[in-house]
């Protein structure tokens, strides 16, 4: 098979790394890719949101399967355009990608199909949003309806904070048109988990769960990011919880989307909040999580490629996947300034030393290759720059390996959280 992966983050590096390993894969391309991905795939400089450019590339290279990593091209309809010219693609149609592209659509879908979630209201004008906030009090959560790279959510501890989030989103438009409409919802307490399932329109095959660290600072403090680190499995999602999530959330969603005339194909990523009463859905994403995907790919023992083809071909009911019991953990290294404006162009050294640590894989997320003083160097070129992933027999050991690799890297322009996996590591300590 000739395969094209779309995207340039840590998720796409992990997907390419796994797909390149498939005996079914004859040629692997990535658009636009990054210097890490270039080790396992041919990178082609076509941007992930250049839909006509990607369709032309897929036709030119006679691609058998396009795997779309990020949400933006999915929401914009890349899979529809590829299918229109007879090219197979892994990922949802634009109609099905509304589950992530519009939180307003998603919340109404949950209500219509009885899927457990936080109580909410939608607003297109700031005054009514503020009135609702005053009526309900804090803590309360304010979200842009549109896409904002994981940053359009404010968990407000006071009415004033919630009101100022409304102003930032709807008046100052710090997330552009994503804030034309907002969702204000009930604050849910509990433990979060990211749950993934492959879906072919009708059948859903559970993958595994992971836990993400969204806040930028140690101890889960500071503003939200796209994710500062993750680990899998998520101890809170045991076999019984997985069954419940499939029964109460994933399967009703798959049936509901089909009944609404927009069957979902691709990977359905449920962001869950779990408390003593059970799981509630914070959000759906219509693609693999990043950095969660890096931990999933490290744990997946089976060949990924035929599973992606089966999802596109509506053949998942014949499928099963094998996972390693060993946990995987990833620490994200971000450029100074993230999640605000990250500093670009700082040189990153000793990546080979990090990759040499036992059990460690280094995934590139926001990097660029450059020549400085006649030497080839890797420089930072984004917010989240590297994913330092490790597997081991325990989370505690995977954590130690990942940080050993982090410490081997010579990069003054970046930072990371030092406590990724703290919950699972604390649980392991209790058991001993
Ligand atoms: P989202 O992008 O909707 O998943 O929101 C980003 C993060 O904000 C989540 O991972 C949670 O940590 C937090 N969050 C979102 N909605 C809620 C809620 N209703 N209650 C508590 N925390 C929330
Ligand atoms: N890590 C969360 C996400 O990919 O949306």
């Amino acid at each position: 098979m000739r395969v094209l992966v779309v995207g340039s983050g840590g998720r796409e590096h992990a997907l390419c790394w796994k797909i390149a390993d498939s005996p079914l894969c004859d040629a692997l391309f990535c658009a636009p890719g990054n210097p890490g991905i270039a080790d396992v795939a041919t990178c082609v400089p076509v941007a992930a949101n250049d839909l006509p450019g990607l369709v032309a590339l897929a036709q030119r290279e006679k691609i058998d399967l396009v795997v779309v990593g990020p949400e933006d091209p999915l929401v914009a309809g890349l899979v529809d355009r590829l299918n229109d010219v007879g090219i197979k693609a892994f990922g949802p149609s634009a109609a099905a990608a509304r589950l992530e592209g519009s939180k307003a659509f998603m919340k109404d879908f949950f209500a219509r199909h009885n899927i457990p979630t936080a109580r909410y209201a939608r607003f297109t004008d700031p005054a009514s949003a503020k009135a609702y906030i005053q009526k309900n009090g804090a803590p309360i959560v304010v979200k842009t309806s549109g896409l904002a790279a994981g940053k359009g959510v404010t968990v407000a501890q006071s009415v004033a904070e919630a009101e100022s989030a409304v102003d930032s989103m709807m008046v100052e438009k710090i997330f552009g048109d994503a804030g034309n409409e907002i969702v204000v919802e009930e604050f849910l307490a509990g433990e979060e988990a990211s749950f993934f399932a492959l879906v072919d329109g009708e059948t859903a095959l559970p993958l595994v769960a992971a836990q993400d660290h969204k806040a930028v600072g140690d101890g889960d403090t500071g503003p939200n990011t796209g994710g500062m680190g993750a680990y899998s499995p998520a101890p809170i999602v045991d076999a019984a919880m997985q069954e419940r999530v499939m029964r109460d959330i994933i399967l009703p969603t798959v049936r509901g989307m089909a009944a609404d005339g927009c069957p979902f194909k691709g990977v359905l990523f449920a962001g869950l909040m779990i408390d003593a009463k059970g799981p509630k859905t914070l959000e759906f994403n219509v693609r693999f999580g990043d950095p969660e995907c890096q931990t999933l790919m490290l744990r997946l023992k089976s060949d990924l490629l035929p599973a992606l083809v089966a999802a596109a071909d509506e053949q998942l009911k014949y499928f099963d996947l094998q996972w390693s019991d060993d946990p995987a953990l990833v620490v994200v290294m971000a450029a100074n300034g993230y999640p605000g404006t990250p500093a670009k162009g700082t040189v990153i050294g000793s990546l080979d030393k990090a990759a040499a640590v036992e059990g460690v894989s280094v995934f590139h997320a926001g990097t660029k290759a450059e020549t400085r003083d006649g030497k080839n160097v890797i420089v930072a070129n984004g917010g989240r720059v590297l994913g330092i992933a490790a597997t081991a027999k325990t989370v505690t050991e995977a954590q130690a390996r990942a940080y050993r690799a982090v410490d081997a890297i010579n990069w003054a322009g970046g930072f990371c959280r030092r406590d990724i996996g703290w919950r699972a590591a604390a649980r392991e300590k209790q058991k001993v």
Side-chain angles (χ1 to χ4, degrees), residues 29-76:
F29 298 85
C30 188
N34 66 39
I37 293 174
D39 287 341
V40 291
T42 304
C43 293
V44 189
V46 178
N49 57 8
D50 175 3
L51 272 47
L54 291 167
V55 173
L57 169 63
Q59 287 179 311
R60 192 166 68 238
E61 292 295 347
K62 302 191 166 40
I63 296 296
D64 299 300
L65 180 74
V66 178
V67 180
V68 187
E71 59 275 21
D72 290 289
L74 291 168
V75 171

Side-chain angles (χ1 to χ4, degrees), residues 11 14-23 90 196 198 205-209 232-233 267 288 292-309 316 319-329 361 363 390-391:
R11 166 183 48 217
L15 289 171
C16 284
W17 172 81
K18 188 68 189 164
I19 292 169
D21 216 27
S22 169
F90 175 80
F196 299 89
L198 282 186
L205 176 67
L207 303 180
V208 291
S232 173
V267 60
F288 283 104
E292 292 96 321
C293 183
Q294 302 174 42
T295 63
L296 263 52
M297 292 306 114
L298 284 182
R299 290 189 59 213
L300 180 59
K301 290 202 280 195
S302 311
D303 190 350
L304 175 68
L305 189 50
L308 301 180
V309 174
L316 270 185
F319 242 81
D320 197 15
L321 290 169
Q322 301 299 316
W323 300 88
S324 165
D325 290 332
D326 289 354
L329 178 141
S361 305
F363 294 116
T391 52

